[in-house]
Amino acid sequence: MKLKHIVISGNIGVGKTTLAQKLSNKYDWKILLEEVDNNPYLEDFYKSMKSWSFHLQIFFLNSRFKQIKKISSSNGIIIQDRSIYEDYEVFTKNLYDSKILLKREFENYKRLYKTILDYVKEPDLLIYIRNNNINNIVNNIPRIFIIFVIIF
């Protein structure tokens, strides 16, 4: 099997980015990181999750879809930090289950997500990282995410 699209998945703070960077450096693979620094909704989301959760999730969904389009048109191997599946299956569902995301927003997001999946090829390899030591994970999470975890 020829690898083209590799995804690293796992909890916040578990070491996805670190592993992606190490694999990228060792094998000269291109890396696509989660778009956190350029996200115009992240700060607002942490101030008012109910007001900004839909916007934030749509931003991440769009960002991930753009990455997948880039991967599909690339000739090289690309490693992606976090998958489009986690956007819906983990984060958006959790926001909805926690009553942060309204039902109509969740249903709208879900319809868009399912439409996008019609155009997405599954990754060739998905690496899931797990760490059972919660202290190690918390120590790796930036301060703003710790506040989110406590609130959430």
Side-chain angles (χ1 to χ4, degrees), residues 84-118:
I84 197 166
Y85 308 107
E86 292 165 274
D87 288 329
Y88 173 71
E89 298 293 341
V90 176
F91 295 101
T92 304
K93 278 186 175 179
N94 196 7
L95 287 166
Y96 175 67
D97 291 343
S98 300
K99 308 277 191 260
I100 293 171
L101 193 63
L102 298 174
K103 182 174 181 166
R104 70 178 179 192
E105 294 170 329
F106 177 71
E107 293 299 327
N108 190 16
Y109 179 97
K110 183 167 59 172
R111 281 192 302 276
L112 179 59
Y113 170 75
K114 289 184 178 201
T115 300
I116 288 172
L117 286 188
D118 290 339

Side-chain angles (χ1 to χ4, degrees), residues 118-132:
D118 290 339
Y119 299 93
V120 168
K121 183 182 172 286
E122 293 176 354
D124 300 311
L125 177 64
L126 187 139
I127 301 169
Y128 179 78
I129 304 174
R130 187 174 91 190
N131 185 335
N132 291 333

Side-chain angles (χ1 to χ4, degrees), residues 1-6 29 75-78 124-125:
M1 171 169 125
K2 187 171 188 292
L3 293 178
K4 179 175 182 168
H5 181 192
I6 300 166
W29 295 339
N75 292 325
I77 297 172
I78 298 181
D124 300 311
L125 177 64

Side-chain angles (χ1 to χ4, degrees), residues 1-122:
M1 171 169 125
K2 187 171 188 292
L3 293 178
K4 179 175 182 168
H5 181 192
I6 300 166
V7 171
I8 300 192
S9 184
N11 290 3
I12 294 170
V14 77
K16 296 178 302 299
T17 303
T18 301
L19 178 60
Q21 289 169 334
K22 287 183 179 190
L23 290 172
S24 173
N25 291 336
K26 180 171 176 74
Y27 296 107
D28 199 28
W29 295 339
K30 183 169 169 82
I31 185 172
L32 293 174
L33 298 175
E34 188 169 31
E35 202 171 348
V36 175
D37 292 336
N38 298 324
N39 188 324
Y41 299 105
L42 204 53
E43 189 176 324
D44 292 326
F45 171 74
Y46 287 112
K47 290 177 184 171
S48 177
M49 291 182 186
K50 280 189 182 261
S51 298
W52 294 100
S53 60
F54 180 74
H55 302 80
L56 177 75
Q57 292 311 113
I58 290 294
F59 178 88
F60 278 127
L61 182 64
N62 183 51
S63 172
R64 209 89 59 203
F65 186 48
K66 281 185 185 178
Q67 287 181 344
I68 290 170
K69 284 175 50 181
K70 184 184 261 187
I71 291 165
S72 67
S73 65
S74 170
N75 292 325
I77 297 172
I78 298 181
I79 190 162
Q80 187 181 28
D81 180 355
R82 198 168 297 289
S83 75
I84 197 166
Y85 308 107
E86 292 165 274
D87 288 329
Y88 173 71
E89 298 293 341
V90 176
F91 295 101
T92 304
K93 278 186 175 179
N94 196 7
L95 287 166
Y96 175 67
D97 291 343
S98 300
K99 308 277 191 260
I100 293 171
L101 193 63
L102 298 174
K103 182 174 181 166
R104 70 178 179 192
E105 294 170 329
F106 177 71
E107 293 299 327
N108 190 16
Y109 179 97
K110 183 167 59 172
R111 281 192 302 276
L112 179 59
Y113 170 75
K114 289 184 178 201
T115 300
I116 288 172
L117 286 188
D118 290 339
Y119 299 93
V120 168
K121 183 182 172 286
E122 293 176 354

